[in-house]
Amino acid sequence: MSQNGFEDPHGDEPTQQVYIRRRIFALLALLLVLILLIWGFVSIVRALSGSSKNTDASASQTAASSSSAAPFSDFTDRASASAHADNKDGDKDKDKDEADNSASAQASDNAQEQKKEEDAQASASAEAAETAAAEPTQEQRTEDAAASETATAEPTEEQSPAVVSACSAADMAVSLTVDKNSYGAGQFPAMAVTYTNTAGTPCTVGGNAGAVDVNIISGPAQVYNYAQCNAAAIDPTEIAAGATDTKVITWDRSLNVLGCGTKRTIQPGHYWATASVNGVHSKPVRIIVTG
């Protein structure tokens, strides 16, 4: 009732809790409505999809029924006699072609095998020829060795050996010895002339440089000279480096200062002999003649 003693036509106003409950119920109702709307939309979409599929299946089945309904559509005519004969002829021709192809293939294989054998034989022959050419026979080796020795023994003009010079005082030493200290009546002094090549290279003795000579004097007087009465030319003789050679000259005690044909002999006394080779002289050696 109001303060004036009248009742409020609207009644009491709802409390706060009642207001909240009403709001919750309203939200739940709204949520339920949304769910129902969504479910209905999904149902409609599914129904439309199923109808489309059924329509396609029905159309396919109808097309299949139409194709299979054609009478004798898969019927094959029976082969006639002529066709059978043609097939036989074709088979014969086919067999013949196969036989020809087989024969040709076999002939080709045989030709290839024969060619391979010929190539192998030709290769073996070529290898044998190369081996024979690469390996000379014993006769060829002998001829080659002989030719090589000849070429070595006979140098060409381009490969001629160097000319050996004559021995000189710079590369030769000369000495003279006698076989006795004194000589009696009827004894002839034997004198050994020794010459040595002291150089490191060969040199020659004789020829234009002069040969081995012995000269004998008594005091200042000339008594005997070997080369004066033995003037025959002597070929040059090569003396190797460090080599030694000796020549023995016998004095018959003649006095050839007056000429080579004289029969005069020396008198007993003391004489001095000196050897020379290529003009290189030895030290004097004393010869004593007693009878």
Side-chain angles (χ1 to χ4, degrees):
M1 293 184 65
S2 63
Q3 295 178 359
N4 296 324
F6 297 98
E7 292 181 357
D8 189 358
H10 299 287
D12 296 333
E13 293 182 359
T15 62
Q16 184 68 25
Q17 294 179 353
V18 173
Y19 180 77
I20 292 174
R21 288 194 189 103
R22 289 178 181 177
R23 289 289 182 92
I24 293 173
F25 289 151
L27 290 175
L28 291 175
L30 180 60
L31 181 61
L32 179 61
V33 171
L34 289 175
I35 292 172
L36 291 174
L37 289 175
I38 293 172
W39 178 80
F41 180 75
V42 172
S43 298
I44 293 170
V45 171
R46 287 181 179 178
L48 292 175
S49 298
S51 177
S52 177
K53 291 180 180 179
N54 292 332
T55 302
D56 294 338
S58 177
S60 299
Q61 185 175 4
T62 302
S65 298
S66 297
S67 61
S68 61
F72 308 109
S73 60
D74 58 349
F75 178 75
T76 302
D77 292 336
R78 186 175 181 181
S80 61
S82 61
H84 185 65
D86 292 338
N87 290 334
K88 287 184 178 180
D89 294 338
D91 292 339
K92 290 180 180 180
D93 294 337
K94 184 177 181 181
D95 294 338
K96 184 177 179 180
D97 293 338
E98 291 178 354
D100 293 339
N101 292 333
S102 178
S104 299
Q106 185 175 2
S108 178
D109 293 339
N110 293 335
Q112 290 180 356
E113 291 179 357
Q114 184 176 2
K115 185 177 180 181
K116 288 180 180 179
E117 291 179 357
E118 292 177 355
D119 293 340
Q121 292 177 358
S123 178
S125 301
E127 290 179 358
E130 290 178 359
T131 303
E135 297 179 358
T137 60
Q138 184 64 29
E139 295 179 357
Q140 292 177 345
R141 293 194 186 98
T142 304
E143 292 177 358
D144 293 341
S148 178
E149 291 178 359
T150 302
T152 304
E154 298 179 359
T156 60
E157 294 180 357
E158 296 179 355
Q159 298 176 350
S160 58
V163 178
V164 180
S165 60
C167 299
S168 63
D171 49 20
M172 186 174 60
V174 179
S175 63
L176 176 65
T177 58
V178 294
D179 59 339
K180 291 183 178 182
N181 292 328
S182 62
Y183 298 91
Q187 295 179 342
F188 299 148
M191 300 167 289
V193 181
T194 302
Y195 44 95
T196 302
N197 182 0
T198 58
T201 57
C203 60
T204 59
V205 171
N208 295 330
V212 178
D213 190 16
V214 173
N215 190 66
I216 300 175
I217 61 176
S218 177
Q222 178 73 28
V223 176
Y224 176 82
N225 183 265
Y226 174 79
Q228 181 176 341
C229 297
N230 296 274
I234 299 176
D235 293 334
T237 301
E238 183 175 316
I239 306 299
T244 299
D245 200 358
T246 300
K247 183 176 182 179
V248 177
I249 296 176
T250 301
W251 178 32
D252 59 1
R253 298 172 64 168
S254 62
L255 184 66
N256 67 358
V257 66
L258 301 177
C260 295
T262 181
K263 300 296 182 180
R264 188 174 176 181
T265 59
I266 61 169
Q267 297 294 324
H270 290 192
Y271 300 88
W272 292 92
T274 304
S276 65
V277 179
N278 285 16
V280 181
H281 299 279
S282 67
K283 293 181 178 180
V285 175
R286 188 174 62 176
I287 298 175
I288 300 173
V289 178
T290 60

